[in-house]
Amino acid sequence: MKLEIARGLFLVGALAVASLAVAAWEQPRMQVVGASVDDAHCAVPRVAKASEATKPDHDLLLFMFGLSQGMRPQS
């Protein structure tokens, strides 16, 4: 395979990967978040909405606390 053909294929491949990365990029749009008068609490993001109330996992909270304590410098 000639060097020019290899360079051309590499360029086409790199442009294809860059195009896919740009197409997959997701950023939030600029918008004003409004609140209705009925809601006395903060709005829940659409990803975190659940059909039933969620309860914290105390074992996970204890585990995270232990990890944060282990990250302190020992002096």
Side-chain angles (χ1 to χ4, degrees), residues 55-62:
K55 296 179 182 176
D57 185 8
H58 295 292
D59 293 335
L60 179 62
L61 293 174
L62 184 62

Side-chain angles (χ1 to χ4, degrees), residues 46-69:
R46 63 184 170 130
V47 177
K49 288 185 179 178
S51 60
E52 59 186 42
T54 57
K55 296 179 182 176
D57 185 8
H58 295 292
D59 293 335
L60 179 62
L61 293 174
L62 184 62
F63 175 70
M64 291 176 62
F65 176 73
L67 286 177
S68 67
Q69 295 300 314

Side-chain angles (χ1 to χ4, degrees), residues 14-63:
L15 289 175
V17 169
S19 309
L20 287 173
V22 169
W25 190 280
E26 182 180 336
Q27 286 189 353
R29 296 181 185 165
M30 302 262 311
Q31 61 185 0
V32 176
V33 178
S36 63
V37 179
D38 299 336
D39 292 336
H41 59 278
C42 296
V44 179
R46 63 184 170 130
V47 177
K49 288 185 179 178
S51 60
E52 59 186 42
T54 57
K55 296 179 182 176
D57 185 8
H58 295 292
D59 293 335
L60 179 62
L61 293 174
L62 184 62
F63 175 70

Side-chain angles (χ1 to χ4, degrees), residues 1-15:
M1 183 182 301
K2 290 188 175 183
L3 186 60
E4 293 84 12
I5 296 173
R7 284 182 183 167
L9 287 176
F10 178 76
L11 179 65
V12 169
L15 289 175

